[in-house]
Amino acid sequence: MPPDIIIHQGHVNNGTLTIGDVVEAEVDGERRFDIARNHTATHLLQSALRQVLGEHVQQGGSLVASEQFRFDFSHLIAMTPEEIEEVQHIVNQRIRQNLPVYDEEIDYKKAIEEGAIALFNEKYGDTVRVLKIGQPSISTELCGGTHVSNTGEIGFFKIISESSIGSGLRRIEAVTGRGAEVFIEKSFSQWREIAIKLGATPDNIAEKVDSTISALDIEQKNRLAEERKRARKEVEYLLTQVEETSNGIKVISRSVDSFRPEVLREITDLIRDQLKSAVVVLGTIYEDKPAFVAMVTPDLVARGYNAGNIIKQVAAVTGGGGGGKATLAQAGGRFKDQLDAALHTVVDLV
Ligand SMILES: [Zn+2]
C-alpha cells in the first residue's frame, strides 16, 4: 500500500517559502473541534433519517463547516414538521447517551458485509476505516474524517432547514455545539425583539399577534366605513355637477377625492340610482396614480354607448388603459397631472 499523503493548504502572508524549508504547523483546536462535532452529527443524522424515513435514504453529499453543516440525501418528498422533530429528537437522545465514537481498520469486503455505509461514487482501498458509534453500534460508516470521541461532546443538535435540491434529493442544514448556541441565542433575541414590538412577552406572542390582527381588521373596517360616509357626501356634490349634451344625455365627469376602486364604483351606483339615465366618469388619484370608473345606464347602452370604450379613451390621455363591461368599466393611468384633461374629453366622447 502506498504511504498516505497529507496535504496542507496555506497562505503566505509575509516572507517567502522555498522547498526544503521547515515549517511549524498548528491546528486551530477550537475550529477543528467544531468541525468534528458537526461531522459526527452527520453520521447520527444519517442513522436517524434511515430510522424515521426508511432505508432508501442515501447520502448524496455533505458539507461540514465549523458553524454549521449540510447533509444531502435521497428522499422523494419534503419531510413533515413531525418527521423533522423526530429525527432531531433521536439525534439529541443519542448525544445525551454519550455513546462512544471509535474506528476500526478492516477489510473492505468485510465492512460491506457488516452493513457499513459507503458512498456510491467513492473509491476505497482494500483496508478501510470504519467509523462506529455506540456499542452495539447504531451507525457504521466508511469514513476518514475527524470525529469527537463521545457523542456527548456534540452538545446539542438542531435542524435549521430542510429543502429540495432537485428531484428526489433533499438537503438538511443543521447546527451543533457552539453553532447551535449561537443559533438559539439569535432566535431568542429575535423573539424578544418581536415581543417588545408587539407589547407582548415571548410566551404570549401568538395570542398578541392574533389580537393585533383582529384590531387591524377592525381598523380596516372602520376606515372603509369612513370612506363610505365621505362617498355619500361626494355623491351629493356630484349630483349638482350634471351636464347635458346637445342630444339630451346627462353626463357627470369629475375628479373626486381619493377613494379605493370599490368605493368609487359604489359612488357611480348611487348616482345611477338617482339619475336613472346618465353617463358617469369619475377620476381620482389612488395610491399615487390616476384611477377611473365609468358607468353607463342600460338605456344608454341600448343606444350604443359603452363604458368600456369610453374609459379606454379617457385613460389613454393619462398614459394608461383598462376596460370592462358596457355598463361599468375601470381603468388606471400613469400621469397624475393629466387627470383633469382626461376627464374633459368625456363630454365630447358622448
Ligand atoms: Zn464521516
Side-chain angles (χ1 to χ4, degrees):
M1 216 177 108
D4 288 336
I5 297 171
I6 297 165
I7 296 170
H8 291 284
Q9 200 173 22
H11 190 85
V12 180
N13 279 332
N14 50 53
T16 52
L17 205 58
T18 42
I19 293 170
D21 281 356
V22 175
V23 296
E24 201 174 308
E26 197 180 22
V27 172
D28 181 343
E30 281 203 72
R31 185 170 174 276
R32 188 184 170 90
F33 196 30
D34 286 336
I35 293 170
R37 271 190 290 255
N38 281 340
H39 190 164
T40 305
T42 65
H43 287 226
L44 289 178
L45 174 60
Q46 170 148 241
S47 149
L49 284 171
R50 289 176 150 227
Q51 191 177 329
V52 173
L53 302 178
E55 293 291 314
H56 64 276
V57 168
Q58 295 269 358
Q59 178 173 349
S62 70
L63 182 94
V64 180
S66 52
E67 308 82 33
Q68 65 179 76
F69 73 87
R70 67 178 196 227
F71 184 83
D72 301 341
F73 61 102
S74 50
H75 184 56
L76 286 174
I77 51 169
M79 289 175 70
T80 64
E82 293 76 25
E83 285 169 342
I84 291 173
E85 223 170 89
E86 199 185 339
V87 165
Q88 237 163 218
H89 176 68
I90 291 169
V91 172
N92 278 312
Q93 209 169 22
R94 285 170 179 167
I95 290 170
R96 285 189 296 271
Q97 284 164 352
N98 199 22
L99 305 171
V101 181
Y102 53 99
D103 60 10
E104 279 169 9
E105 303 250 329
I106 54 171
D107 189 65
Y108 176 74
K109 279 190 196 125
K110 192 175 170 244
I112 298 302
E113 273 166 26
E114 274 185 17
I117 295 170
L119 285 176
F120 263 144
N121 44 8
E122 194 85 21
K123 280 213 167 110
Y124 295 100
D126 297 336
T127 310
V128 289
R129 178 182 187 239
V130 176
L131 198 284
K132 292 186 175 181
I133 302 175
Q135 252 160 352
S137 73
I138 51 105
S139 162
T140 306
E141 285 190 48
L142 300 192
C143 177
T146 307
H147 287 271
V148 296
S149 35
N150 292 285
T151 57
E153 292 165 48
I154 298 168
F156 182 65
F157 166 83
K158 176 100 186 91
I159 292 174
I160 57 178
S161 76
E162 191 272 348
S163 59
S164 164
I165 53 159
S167 85
L169 267 184
R170 312 291 308 173
R171 170 169 293 171
I172 279 179
E173 290 179 297
V175 285
T176 70
R178 290 200 298 175
E181 188 182 343
V182 169
F183 176 80
I184 284 166
E185 261 318 308
K186 211 170 119 190
S187 304
F188 266 79
S189 73
Q190 265 166 353
W191 274 120
R192 278 192 295 271
E193 220 172 282
I194 293 168
I196 289 167
K197 281 185 182 157
L198 288 169
T201 63
D203 294 332
N204 68 2
I205 281 183
E207 274 165 55
K208 196 74 186 179
V209 167
D210 283 344
S211 62
T212 306
I213 287 171
S214 50
L216 283 175
D217 278 349
I218 292 166
E219 206 183 306
Q220 281 282 352
K221 277 179 197 146
N222 288 342
R223 222 180 282 162
L224 185 60
E226 269 309 304
E227 212 167 308
R228 286 190 165 129
K229 217 187 258 177
R230 263 199 306 126
R232 284 181 187 272
K233 284 221 172 102
E234 197 76 57
V235 171
E236 279 170 33
Y237 166 75
L238 289 169
L239 287 172
T240 68
Q241 301 297 312
V242 183
E243 294 170 77
E244 210 164 311
T245 62
S246 52
N247 47 358
I249 290 168
K250 287 176 188 153
V251 175
I252 295 177
S253 173
R254 290 281 157 195
S255 67
V256 295
D257 275 352
S258 186
F259 290 103
R260 66 189 80 191
E262 64 197 270
V263 177
L264 216 52
R265 283 196 303 272
E266 286 170 16
I267 292 175
T268 63
D269 286 346
L270 292 168
I271 293 172
R272 183 195 58 213
D273 293 346
Q274 292 287 319
L275 293 182
K276 313 290 184 209
S277 172
V279 171
V280 179
V281 180
L282 303 177
T284 191
I285 304 296
Y286 182 69
E287 289 177 345
D288 212 36
K289 284 204 176 93
F292 301 95
V293 169
M295 186 278 298
V296 174
T297 49
D299 62 307
L300 296 179
V301 170
R303 283 172 61 183
Y305 294 96
N306 186 306
N309 293 345
I310 293 171
I311 208 150
K312 228 171 256 170
Q313 296 178 66
V314 173
V317 180
T318 63
K325 295 181 292 185
T327 50
L328 185 72
Q330 260 179 282
R334 281 190 288 157
F335 315 122
K336 283 192 284 183
D337 53 341
Q338 295 300 310
L339 185 74
D340 286 323
L343 290 166
H344 278 306
T345 63
V346 175
V347 174
D348 292 332
L349 290 170
V350 177

